[in-house]
Amino acid sequence: MAELILKTDTSRELGTRPSRRLRRAGQVPGVVYGLGGKSVSVAVDARELRSALTTDAGLNALLTLDVNGDRQLGLVKELQHHPVRNEVIHVDFIRVDADVAVEVEVRVVLEGEATAVSNEDGVVDQAAFTVAVLAKPESIPNELSIDISEMVMGDTVRAGDLELPEGVELAGDPEELVASTSIRVIEIEEPEVDEGAEVQLDEDGQPIVAEEAGEESDAAASEDPAE
């Protein structure tokens, strides 16, 4: 795997206005912390950050952070996005030790087609899209896959059922629901009702449908008034 080097600038000014100026200049303000070291405020190039996080590893990409010439291994701990433009407005990096396991969220991917479920007009619902695992930085998997091809109605997959690579342990609840089956729900459009139309009721106070109403009208018209 190629080393992902991300150069940081530690000379940025703190505060809302300086951070806005940084973003307009194509920089993302952030902070580097962890491993007992002090927190360092930094800025990184937005394009370089995006490039580093668009590999198969995604947000779990192992980065080499260049902080004032000192290279440190790190991971993205948190990304903050603009609520409208969805651009990254702040990034938190956490220092990591190559020989010490860290807890990260790894995405879960469903693979295959559950034919037996589809044949019963069912679907496989994914309840969790990530699970927490413990692994050394170099052993963090890009994703965890679940083969759903053998699932039948009533089956469930829980976090403890996932097959984890060597050197990776589950960090969360093994009973956490990851995938389950359910009957497909079909939405039926309700017929439009003319609110201005008069509704006729039967003896039990229930609305009479059009055909019934017509039959009753015909029956009433055929009755002999003299009787």
Side-chain angles (χ1 to χ4, degrees), residues 78-214:
E78 183 180 2
L79 286 179
Q80 295 179 25
H81 291 84
H82 189 280
V84 178
R85 297 191 293 271
N86 200 37
E87 63 187 25
V88 178
I89 59 174
H90 194 275
V91 56
D92 286 4
F93 297 104
I94 184 170
R95 302 183 188 97
V96 295
D97 187 323
D99 297 320
V100 178
V102 293
E103 181 176 333
V104 294
E105 293 285 333
V106 176
R107 64 179 177 267
V108 178
V109 178
L110 304 186
E111 294 184 343
E113 184 175 346
T115 305
V117 175
S118 300
N119 289 342
E120 294 191 44
D121 204 23
V123 294
V124 177
D125 299 311
Q126 187 167 356
F129 292 86
T130 64
V131 294
V133 301
L134 278 172
K136 291 181 180 179
E138 291 282 2
S139 299
I140 298 173
N142 294 339
E143 64 184 27
L144 297 172
S145 61
I146 301 174
D147 183 1
I148 65 172
S149 58
E150 299 299 321
M151 290 185 73
V152 298
M153 288 300 297
D155 279 354
T156 60
V157 178
R158 301 191 180 276
D161 300 324
L162 294 173
E163 293 186 11
L164 302 178
E166 185 177 353
V168 180
E169 298 178 11
L170 188 67
D173 182 2
E175 292 300 313
E176 179 185 6
L177 184 64
V178 176
S180 62
T181 58
S182 64
I183 296 295
R184 190 188 308 275
V185 177
I186 301 176
E187 294 186 1
I188 300 177
E189 293 186 6
E190 296 183 2
E192 294 185 3
V193 178
D194 184 356
E195 297 181 356
E198 183 178 348
V199 179
Q200 300 182 39
L201 304 178
D202 60 18
E203 295 178 354
D204 298 322
Q206 299 299 317
I208 302 174
V209 298
E211 292 183 0
E212 294 176 351

Side-chain angles (χ1 to χ4, degrees), residues 61-81:
L62 183 59
L63 307 172
T64 298
L65 302 173
D66 186 334
V67 184
N68 290 334
D70 179 21
R71 293 193 171 185
Q72 309 167 4
L73 286 180
L75 294 169
V76 169
K77 185 65 175 178
E78 183 180 2
L79 286 179
Q80 295 179 25
H81 291 84

